Amino acid sequence: MIRLRTDADLNACVQALADVQAADRYPVHWPDDPRAWLTPDDLTAAWVAVADGAVLGHVGLTRTGPEPAESLGVALGGAVTRLFVTPPARRGGLAARLLDEVRVAAGGPLALEVSDEGGAAIAFYERHGWRRFASTRARWLNSAGEPALLHHYLSP
């Protein structure tokens, strides 16, 4: 079941994120305050996928997209952020269903950014028709200690 995230879900979301981070290094650096990381300042809504009381996936929608998206001249419906699915729940279309929730709520094209270290995420987005329109360096460091290379995508 996919539903809007509530504050009561945040501890379970942090546990699911910890499982993802252990498996995939997403996020590359564990945040000092993972609850706050899951709730960025410009978050307009977030959804969770739950089964048997456990959070299996998460996605957020922010008001604004990554900075390079402004140059596209496209009126964005927002940006996808903090999308993840726990390892045992993968390969069943859950990430695509979470993205569908965001698309409906946004009512317009979406942007997102993904680190070049996220090979599986990049393959997922491209397989689902997302188009890379820019690449930039982040202010944070990747696992090699260098400014992370971020790829910016626009929804189909």
Side-chain angles (χ1 to χ4, degrees):
M1 174 175 84
I2 296 176
R3 61 171 172 74
L4 283 170
R5 186 189 83 190
T6 68
D7 287 343
D9 294 318
L10 279 171
N11 288 338
C13 290
V14 169
Q15 180 56 56
L17 181 64
D19 295 344
V20 169
Q21 209 267 349
D24 303 325
R25 296 228 40 227
Y26 174 80
V28 172
H29 305 288
W30 186 254
D32 291 334
D33 183 351
R35 291 170 60 100
W37 185 85
L38 287 166
T39 310
D41 290 339
D42 61 343
L43 187 75
T44 59
W47 293 262
V48 289
V50 293
D52 299 323
V55 170
L56 304 178
H58 177 277
V59 67
L61 172 65
T62 60
R63 284 185 290 281
T64 57
E67 208 170 282
E70 297 169 4
S71 67
L72 293 175
V74 173
L76 291 177
V80 173
T81 191
R82 313 309 194 239
L83 172 62
F84 59 87
V85 173
T86 60
R90 293 180 185 165
R91 305 240 182 256
L94 191 53
R97 291 196 314 270
L98 284 163
L99 280 176
D100 287 343
E101 292 290 330
V102 176
R103 280 190 197 126
V104 169
L110 294 165
L112 63 79
E113 60 186 25
V114 61
S115 166
D116 73 331
E117 291 181 295
I122 290 168
F124 168 80
Y125 294 126
E126 292 181 355
R127 194 169 53 249
H128 286 86
W130 289 71
R131 181 178 52 86
R132 185 184 307 179
F133 64 86
S135 296
T136 60
R137 290 286 173 183
R139 294 184 192 110
W140 51 273
L141 303 179
N142 64 16
S143 60
E146 302 167 343
L149 178 61
L150 299 178
H151 299 302
H152 303 274
Y153 285 84
L154 187 64
S155 64

